[in-house]
Amino acid sequence: MTHFTRAIVRPPGATYADGITSADLGAPDLPLALEQHQGYCAALEAAGLTLTHLPPEDAYPDSTFVEDTAVLTPALAIISHPGAPSRQGEIHTVRAALTGFYPRLAAIEPPGTLDGGDICEAGDHVFIGVTARTNPAGAAQLAALLQGEGFTTSLVDVRGSTALLHLKTGMSYLGDRTLVLVDELAERPEFAGYRIIRVPTAAAYAANCIRVNDAVILPAGYPALEAQIAALGLRLLPVPMSEYQKMDGGLSCLSLRF
Ligand code: CIR
């Protein structure tokens, strides 16, 4: 498992409630979202990371979801071309921040589109989701770049799903060939041979969690999943995420970890 030392984060801005959402959970409360963002940052720091805080960008209501703007490997940063036109301008400040850490950068180019939330790194293998946001051309460009960095890749086409905005909306990799999967993904042949922690539909939001060094950061309020993760010997760092769930945001998408 990659040892992470850093993460890039960006708090939601004043226009946060204008972002894209399909969740029917009401408008987000910005002060509470900012408080939850601080809790999320504290969890990343508790897992050992040093944070780079980008300033809010009100021109891009969804720009707090920085994970969608890049795919990071140990030696190469790949800037995405987000699938939602309203999000494509988010990449510029992220690229500028990554330039300070990565001597080598690449980019997904149109007509390819790709959101980082569709990319699930599982050790030397990377699952690339094909969704409404990541098209086959973007997936193919990323696969070629990752193969050049020594990764194997496979595509997971979830365009038939109404519940999964991104592939990682429904899955996470915890290390040691262990995946957290929502019911809908649990039987897919792409994941045969992995140890699977299956998350029932009622707890589906928690399937998007992140392994960071010896810890797992996961949405607060899912005790059954916490118990299964604790049984793996991993430290639990639960964080409240309600104001991000309202905007279709998974926990992973609030940071770029490297
Ligand atoms: C969007 O629809 O693009 C944002 N409202 C949510 C993006 C969440 N990203 C993620 O889970 N990787």
Side-chain angles (χ1 to χ4, degrees), residues 118-148:
D118 282 318
I119 314 310
C120 184
E121 174 259 314
D124 294 341
H125 188 73
V126 180
F127 295 105
I128 303 175
V130 179
T131 64
R133 300 290 178 89
T134 295
N135 66 15
Q141 287 179 36
L142 182 70
L145 289 164
L146 291 175
Q147 285 159 22

PDB file of all heavy atoms in Angstrom, residues 118-148:
ATOM      1  N   ASP A 118     -13.604   8.215 -10.404  1.00  0.00           N
ATOM      2  CA  ASP A 118     -13.814   6.936 -11.090  1.00  0.00           C
ATOM      3  C   ASP A 118     -12.594   6.021 -11.019  1.00  0.00           C
ATOM      4  O   ASP A 118     -12.628   4.920 -11.576  1.00  0.00           O
ATOM      5  CB  ASP A 118     -14.166   7.194 -12.568  1.00  0.00           C
ATOM      6  CG  ASP A 118     -15.608   7.628 -12.718  1.00  0.00           C
ATOM      7  OD1 ASP A 118     -16.474   7.033 -12.045  1.00  0.00           O
ATOM      8  OD2 ASP A 118     -15.868   8.563 -13.490  1.00  0.00           O
ATOM      9  N   ILE A 119     -11.557   6.470 -10.345  1.00  0.00           N
ATOM     10  CA  ILE A 119     -10.300   5.718 -10.372  1.00  0.00           C
ATOM     11  C   ILE A 119     -10.032   5.119  -8.998  1.00  0.00           C
ATOM     12  O   ILE A 119      -9.882   5.850  -8.004  1.00  0.00           O
ATOM     13  CB  ILE A 119      -9.122   6.642 -10.778  1.00  0.00           C
ATOM     14  CG1 ILE A 119      -9.494   7.490 -11.994  1.00  0.00           C
ATOM     15  CG2 ILE A 119      -7.865   5.816 -10.990  1.00  0.00           C
ATOM     16  CD1 ILE A 119     -10.081   6.718 -13.175  1.00  0.00           C
ATOM     17  N   CYS A 120      -9.967   3.811  -8.936  1.00  0.00           N
ATOM     18  CA  CYS A 120      -9.725   3.135  -7.657  1.00  0.00           C
ATOM     19  C   CYS A 120      -8.409   2.376  -7.747  1.00  0.00           C
ATOM     20  O   CYS A 120      -8.310   1.350  -8.415  1.00  0.00           O
ATOM     21  CB  CYS A 120     -10.870   2.185  -7.318  1.00  0.00           C
ATOM     22  SG  CYS A 120     -10.651   1.437  -5.681  1.00  0.00           S
ATOM     23  N   GLU A 121      -7.398   2.908  -7.051  1.00  0.00           N
ATOM     24  CA  GLU A 121      -6.088   2.265  -7.025  1.00  0.00           C
ATOM     25  C   GLU A 121      -6.135   1.127  -5.996  1.00  0.00           C
ATOM     26  O   GLU A 121      -6.591   1.311  -4.873  1.00  0.00           O
ATOM     27  CB  GLU A 121      -5.036   3.324  -6.670  1.00  0.00           C
ATOM     28  CG  GLU A 121      -3.641   2.787  -6.469  1.00  0.00           C
ATOM     29  CD  GLU A 121      -3.298   2.642  -4.992  1.00  0.00           C
ATOM     30  OE1 GLU A 121      -3.560   3.570  -4.214  1.00  0.00           O
ATOM     31  OE2 GLU A 121      -2.774   1.564  -4.638  1.00  0.00           O
ATOM     32  N   ALA A 122      -5.704  -0.046  -6.448  1.00  0.00           N
ATOM     33  CA  ALA A 122      -5.701  -1.222  -5.562  1.00  0.00           C
ATOM     34  C   ALA A 122      -4.328  -1.883  -5.655  1.00  0.00           C
ATOM     35  O   ALA A 122      -4.133  -2.864  -6.364  1.00  0.00           O
ATOM     36  CB  ALA A 122      -6.811  -2.186  -5.965  1.00  0.00           C
ATOM     37  N   GLY A 123      -3.357  -1.287  -4.997  1.00  0.00           N
ATOM     38  CA  GLY A 123      -1.985  -1.781  -5.092  1.00  0.00           C
ATOM     39  C   GLY A 123      -1.440  -1.524  -6.487  1.00  0.00           C
ATOM     40  O   GLY A 123      -1.515  -0.400  -6.994  1.00  0.00           O
ATOM     41  N   ASP A 124      -0.919  -2.581  -7.127  1.00  0.00           N
ATOM     42  CA  ASP A 124      -0.329  -2.406  -8.463  1.00  0.00           C
ATOM     43  C   ASP A 124      -1.387  -2.379  -9.564  1.00  0.00           C
ATOM     44  O   ASP A 124      -1.060  -2.239 -10.739  1.00  0.00           O
ATOM     45  CB  ASP A 124       0.616  -3.581  -8.786  1.00  0.00           C
ATOM     46  CG  ASP A 124       1.810  -3.573  -7.862  1.00  0.00           C
ATOM     47  OD1 ASP A 124       2.081  -2.510  -7.271  1.00  0.00           O
ATOM     48  OD2 ASP A 124       2.450  -4.630  -7.727  1.00  0.00           O
ATOM     49  N   HIS A 125      -2.637  -2.577  -9.182  1.00  0.00           N
ATOM     50  CA  HIS A 125      -3.713  -2.617 -10.156  1.00  0.00           C
ATOM     51  C   HIS A 125      -4.633  -1.415  -9.962  1.00  0.00           C
ATOM     52  O   HIS A 125      -4.874  -0.994  -8.826  1.00  0.00           O
ATOM     53  CB  HIS A 125      -4.527  -3.910  -9.999  1.00  0.00           C
ATOM     54  CG  HIS A 125      -5.530  -4.083 -11.100  1.00  0.00           C
ATOM     55  ND1 HIS A 125      -5.172  -4.430 -12.375  1.00  0.00           N
ATOM     56  CD2 HIS A 125      -6.878  -3.897 -11.107  1.00  0.00           C
ATOM     57  CE1 HIS A 125      -6.250  -4.469 -13.132  1.00  0.00           C
ATOM     58  NE2 HIS A 125      -7.300  -4.145 -12.394  1.00  0.00           N
ATOM     59  N   VAL A 126      -5.142  -0.880 -11.055  1.00  0.00           N
ATOM     60  CA  VAL A 126      -6.055   0.267 -10.955  1.00  0.00           C
ATOM     61  C   VAL A 126      -7.351  -0.064 -11.687  1.00  0.00           C
ATOM     62  O   VAL A 126      -7.332  -0.414 -12.877  1.00  0.00           O
ATOM     63  CB  VAL A 126      -5.412   1.547 -11.539  1.00  0.00           C
ATOM     64  CG1 VAL A 126      -6.375   2.721 -11.418  1.00  0.00           C
ATOM     65  CG2 VAL A 126      -4.102   1.874 -10.821  1.00  0.00           C
ATOM     66  N   PHE A 127      -8.459   0.053 -10.975  1.00  0.00           N
ATOM     67  CA  PHE A 127      -9.783  -0.083 -11.590  1.00  0.00           C
ATOM     68  C   PHE A 127     -10.212   1.287 -12.113  1.00  0.00           C
ATOM     69  O   PHE A 127     -10.171   2.278 -11.370  1.00  0.00           O
ATOM     70  CB  PHE A 127     -10.806  -0.577 -10.564  1.00  0.00           C
ATOM     71  CG  PHE A 127     -10.542  -1.955 -10.042  1.00  0.00           C
ATOM     72  CD1 PHE A 127     -10.033  -2.146  -8.758  1.00  0.00           C
ATOM     73  CD2 PHE A 127     -10.795  -3.069 -10.825  1.00  0.00           C
ATOM     74  CE1 PHE A 127      -9.780  -3.422  -8.272  1.00  0.00           C
ATOM     75  CE2 PHE A 127     -10.550  -4.348 -10.351  1.00  0.00           C
ATOM     76  CZ  PHE A 127     -10.044  -4.527  -9.072  1.00  0.00           C
ATOM     77  N   ILE A 128     -10.603   1.320 -13.368  1.00  0.00           N
ATOM     78  CA  ILE A 128     -11.020   2.580 -14.004  1.00  0.00           C
ATOM     79  C   ILE A 128     -12.503   2.465 -14.333  1.00  0.00           C
ATOM     80  O   ILE A 128     -12.904   1.642 -15.164  1.00  0.00           O
ATOM     81  CB  ILE A 128     -10.213   2.846 -15.291  1.00  0.00           C
ATOM     82  CG1 ILE A 128      -8.702   2.874 -14.985  1.00  0.00           C
ATOM     83  CG2 ILE A 128     -10.664   4.153 -15.946  1.00  0.00           C
ATOM     84  CD1 ILE A 128      -7.820   3.005 -16.225  1.00  0.00           C
ATOM     85  N   GLY A 129     -13.310   3.275 -13.678  1.00  0.00           N
ATOM     86  CA  GLY A 129     -14.747   3.237 -13.929  1.00  0.00           C
ATOM     87  C   GLY A 129     -15.090   3.992 -15.198  1.00  0.00           C
ATOM     88  O   GLY A 129     -14.552   5.076 -15.464  1.00  0.00           O
ATOM     89  N   VAL A 130     -15.972   3.415 -15.986  1.00  0.00           N
ATOM     90  CA  VAL A 130     -16.545   4.128 -17.132  1.00  0.00           C
ATOM     91  C   VAL A 130     -17.960   4.518 -16.707  1.00  0.00           C
ATOM     92  O   VAL A 130     -18.762   3.655 -16.318  1.00  0.00           O
ATOM     93  CB  VAL A 130     -16.544   3.247 -18.393  1.00  0.00           C
ATOM     94  CG1 VAL A 130     -17.172   4.000 -19.570  1.00  0.00           C
ATOM     95  CG2 VAL A 130     -15.111   2.822 -18.740  1.00  0.00           C
ATOM     96  N   THR A 131     -18.219   5.814 -16.726  1.00  0.00           N
ATOM     97  CA  THR A 131     -19.460   6.348 -16.155  1.00  0.00           C
ATOM     98  C   THR A 131     -19.956   7.491 -17.042  1.00  0.00           C
ATOM     99  O   THR A 131     -19.388   7.755 -18.105  1.00  0.00           O
ATOM    100  CB  THR A 131     -19.186   6.925 -14.738  1.00  0.00           C
ATOM    101  OG1 THR A 131     -18.280   8.035 -14.883  1.00  0.00           O
ATOM    102  CG2 THR A 131     -18.570   5.893 -13.796  1.00  0.00           C
ATOM    103  N   ALA A 132     -20.962   8.201 -16.546  1.00  0.00           N
ATOM    104  CA  ALA A 132     -21.397   9.392 -17.277  1.00  0.00           C
ATOM    105  C   ALA A 132     -20.300  10.454 -17.285  1.00  0.00           C
ATOM    106  O   ALA A 132     -20.306  11.351 -18.124  1.00  0.00           O
ATOM    107  CB  ALA A 132     -22.669   9.955 -16.639  1.00  0.00           C
ATOM    108  N   ARG A 133     -19.343  10.379 -16.363  1.00  0.00           N
ATOM    109  CA  ARG A 133     -18.271  11.386 -16.271  1.00  0.00           C
ATOM    110  C   ARG A 133     -16.976  10.951 -16.967  1.00  0.00           C
ATOM    111  O   ARG A 133     -16.242  11.785 -17.484  1.00  0.00           O
ATOM    112  CB  ARG A 133     -17.964  11.694 -14.804  1.00  0.00           C
ATOM    113  CG  ARG A 133     -19.128  12.249 -14.015  1.00  0.00           C
ATOM    114  CD  ARG A 133     -19.478  13.665 -14.435  1.00  0.00           C
ATOM    115  NE  ARG A 133     -20.617  14.183 -13.705  1.00  0.00           N
ATOM    116  CZ  ARG A 133     -20.529  14.818 -12.553  1.00  0.00           C
ATOM    117  NH1 ARG A 133     -19.352  15.024 -11.992  1.00  0.00           N
ATOM    118  NH2 ARG A 133     -21.621  15.263 -11.953  1.00  0.00           N
ATOM    119  N   THR A 134     -16.673   9.668 -16.906  1.00  0.00           N
ATOM    120  CA  THR A 134     -15.437   9.158 -17.518  1.00  0.00           C
ATOM    121  C   THR A 134     -15.826   8.345 -18.736  1.00  0.00           C
ATOM    122  O   THR A 134     -16.484   7.296 -18.606  1.00  0.00           O
ATOM    123  CB  THR A 134     -14.662   8.285 -16.512  1.00  0.00           C
ATOM    124  OG1 THR A 134     -14.225   9.124 -15.428  1.00  0.00           O
ATOM    125  CG2 THR A 134     -13.451   7.629 -17.159  1.00  0.00           C
ATOM    126  N   ASN A 135     -15.443   8.844 -19.910  1.00  0.00           N
ATOM    127  CA  ASN A 135     -15.858   8.149 -21.134  1.00  0.00           C
ATOM    128  C   ASN A 135     -14.779   7.140 -21.561  1.00  0.00           C
ATOM    129  O   ASN A 135     -13.660   7.133 -21.013  1.00  0.00           O
ATOM    130  CB  ASN A 135     -16.225   9.152 -22.236  1.00  0.00           C
ATOM    131  CG  ASN A 135     -15.052   9.985 -22.730  1.00  0.00           C
ATOM    132  OD1 ASN A 135     -13.903   9.668 -22.484  1.00  0.00           O
ATOM    133  ND2 ASN A 135     -15.367  11.063 -23.433  1.00  0.00           N
ATOM    134  N   PRO A 136     -15.095   6.260 -22.501  1.00  0.00           N
ATOM    135  CA  PRO A 136     -14.110   5.247 -22.900  1.00  0.00           C
ATOM    136  C   PRO A 136     -12.798   5.860 -23.390  1.00  0.00           C
ATOM    137  O   PRO A 136     -11.721   5.318 -23.130  1.00  0.00           O
ATOM    138  CB  PRO A 136     -14.841   4.474 -24.013  1.00  0.00           C
ATOM    139  CG  PRO A 136     -16.293   4.591 -23.645  1.00  0.00           C
ATOM    140  CD  PRO A 136     -16.424   5.999 -23.108  1.00  0.00           C
ATOM    141  N   ALA A 137     -12.859   7.007 -24.070  1.00  0.00           N
ATOM    142  CA  ALA A 137     -11.619   7.632 -24.554  1.00  0.00           C
ATOM    143  C   ALA A 137     -10.753   8.104 -23.382  1.00  0.00           C
ATOM    144  O   ALA A 137      -9.528   7.917 -23.379  1.00  0.00           O
ATOM    145  CB  ALA A 137     -11.956   8.805 -25.475  1.00  0.00           C
ATOM    146  N   GLY A 138     -11.377   8.699 -22.382  1.00  0.00           N
ATOM    147  CA  GLY A 138     -10.616   9.144 -21.209  1.00  0.00           C
ATOM    148  C   GLY A 138     -10.043   7.961 -20.451  1.00  0.00           C
ATOM    149  O   GLY A 138      -8.888   7.989 -19.993  1.00  0.00           O
ATOM    150  N   ALA A 139     -10.847   6.909 -20.323  1.00  0.00           N
ATOM    151  CA  ALA A 139     -10.390   5.702 -19.628  1.00  0.00           C
ATOM    152  C   ALA A 139      -9.199   5.088 -20.355  1.00  0.00           C
ATOM    153  O   ALA A 139      -8.217   4.660 -19.723  1.00  0.00           O
ATOM    154  CB  ALA A 139     -11.539   4.699 -19.522  1.00  0.00           C
ATOM    155  N   ALA A 140      -9.257   5.064 -21.695  1.00  0.00           N
ATOM    156  CA  ALA A 140      -8.161   4.471 -22.473  1.00  0.00           C
ATOM    157  C   ALA A 140      -6.883   5.305 -22.333  1.00  0.00           C
ATOM    158  O   ALA A 140      -5.782   4.757 -22.195  1.00  0.00           O
ATOM    159  CB  ALA A 140      -8.565   4.354 -23.937  1.00  0.00           C
ATOM    160  N   GLN A 141      -7.029   6.635 -22.340  1.00  0.00           N
ATOM    161  CA  GLN A 141      -5.839   7.482 -22.155  1.00  0.00           C
ATOM    162  C   GLN A 141      -5.206   7.230 -20.790  1.00  0.00           C
ATOM    163  O   GLN A 141      -3.985   7.102 -20.651  1.00  0.00           O
ATOM    164  CB  GLN A 141      -6.216   8.961 -22.245  1.00  0.00           C
ATOM    165  CG  GLN A 141      -6.548   9.454 -23.633  1.00  0.00           C
ATOM    166  CD  GLN A 141      -6.943  10.935 -23.607  1.00  0.00           C
ATOM    167  OE1 GLN A 141      -6.411  11.741 -22.848  1.00  0.00           O
ATOM    168  NE2 GLN A 141      -7.898  11.284 -24.446  1.00  0.00           N
ATOM    169  N   LEU A 142      -6.049   7.150 -19.769  1.00  0.00           N
ATOM    170  CA  LEU A 142      -5.500   6.925 -18.424  1.00  0.00           C
ATOM    171  C   LEU A 142      -4.841   5.551 -18.328  1.00  0.00           C
ATOM    172  O   LEU A 142      -3.753   5.420 -17.748  1.00  0.00           O
ATOM    173  CB  LEU A 142      -6.604   7.039 -17.359  1.00  0.00           C
ATOM    174  CG  LEU A 142      -6.050   6.848 -15.948  1.00  0.00           C
ATOM    175  CD1 LEU A 142      -5.189   8.042 -15.529  1.00  0.00           C
ATOM    176  CD2 LEU A 142      -7.165   6.620 -14.933  1.00  0.00           C
ATOM    177  N   ALA A 143      -5.479   4.546 -18.900  1.00  0.00           N
ATOM    178  CA  ALA A 143      -4.908   3.195 -18.834  1.00  0.00           C
ATOM    179  C   ALA A 143      -3.510   3.190 -19.449  1.00  0.00           C
ATOM    180  O   ALA A 143      -2.570   2.610 -18.877  1.00  0.00           O
ATOM    181  CB  ALA A 143      -5.829   2.208 -19.548  1.00  0.00           C
ATOM    182  N   ALA A 144      -3.342   3.866 -20.581  1.00  0.00           N
ATOM    183  CA  ALA A 144      -2.023   3.890 -21.227  1.00  0.00           C
ATOM    184  C   ALA A 144      -0.997   4.597 -20.341  1.00  0.00           C
ATOM    185  O   ALA A 144       0.139   4.127 -20.189  1.00  0.00           O
ATOM    186  CB  ALA A 144      -2.127   4.574 -22.591  1.00  0.00           C
ATOM    187  N   LEU A 145      -1.398   5.708 -19.742  1.00  0.00           N
ATOM    188  CA  LEU A 145      -0.469   6.438 -18.866  1.00  0.00           C
ATOM    189  C   LEU A 145      -0.091   5.597 -17.643  1.00  0.00           C
ATOM    190  O   LEU A 145       1.077   5.542 -17.245  1.00  0.00           O
ATOM    191  CB  LEU A 145      -1.103   7.764 -18.420  1.00  0.00           C
ATOM    192  CG  LEU A 145      -1.234   8.834 -19.508  1.00  0.00           C
ATOM    193  CD1 LEU A 145      -2.200   9.936 -19.085  1.00  0.00           C
ATOM    194  CD2 LEU A 145       0.143   9.431 -19.831  1.00  0.00           C
ATOM    195  N   LEU A 146      -1.075   4.934 -17.060  1.00  0.00           N
ATOM    196  CA  LEU A 146      -0.791   4.131 -15.863  1.00  0.00           C
ATOM    197  C   LEU A 146       0.068   2.920 -16.196  1.00  0.00           C
ATOM    198  O   LEU A 146       0.961   2.542 -15.426  1.00  0.00           O
ATOM    199  CB  LEU A 146      -2.102   3.685 -15.203  1.00  0.00           C
ATOM    200  CG  LEU A 146      -2.932   4.798 -14.551  1.00  0.00           C
ATOM    201  CD1 LEU A 146      -4.263   4.234 -14.045  1.00  0.00           C
ATOM    202  CD2 LEU A 146      -2.169   5.445 -13.392  1.00  0.00           C
ATOM    203  N   GLN A 147      -0.193   2.311 -17.357  1.00  0.00           N
ATOM    204  CA  GLN A 147       0.626   1.159 -17.753  1.00  0.00           C
ATOM    205  C   GLN A 147       2.085   1.590 -17.913  1.00  0.00           C
ATOM    206  O   GLN A 147       3.004   0.858 -17.547  1.00  0.00           O
ATOM    207  CB  GLN A 147       0.048   0.514 -19.009  1.00  0.00           C
ATOM    208  CG  GLN A 147      -1.221  -0.294 -18.684  1.00  0.00           C
ATOM    209  CD  GLN A 147      -2.125  -0.545 -19.879  1.00  0.00           C
ATOM    210  OE1 GLN A 147      -1.681  -0.493 -21.023  1.00  0.00           O
ATOM    211  NE2 GLN A 147      -3.393  -0.830 -19.611  1.00  0.00           N
ATOM    212  N   GLY A 148       2.282   2.798 -18.386  1.00  0.00           N
ATOM    213  CA  GLY A 148       3.641   3.331 -18.497  1.00  0.00           C
ATOM    214  C   GLY A 148       4.317   3.518 -17.148  1.00  0.00           C
ATOM    215  O   GLY A 148       5.544   3.569 -17.051  1.00  0.00           O
TER     216      GLY A 148
END
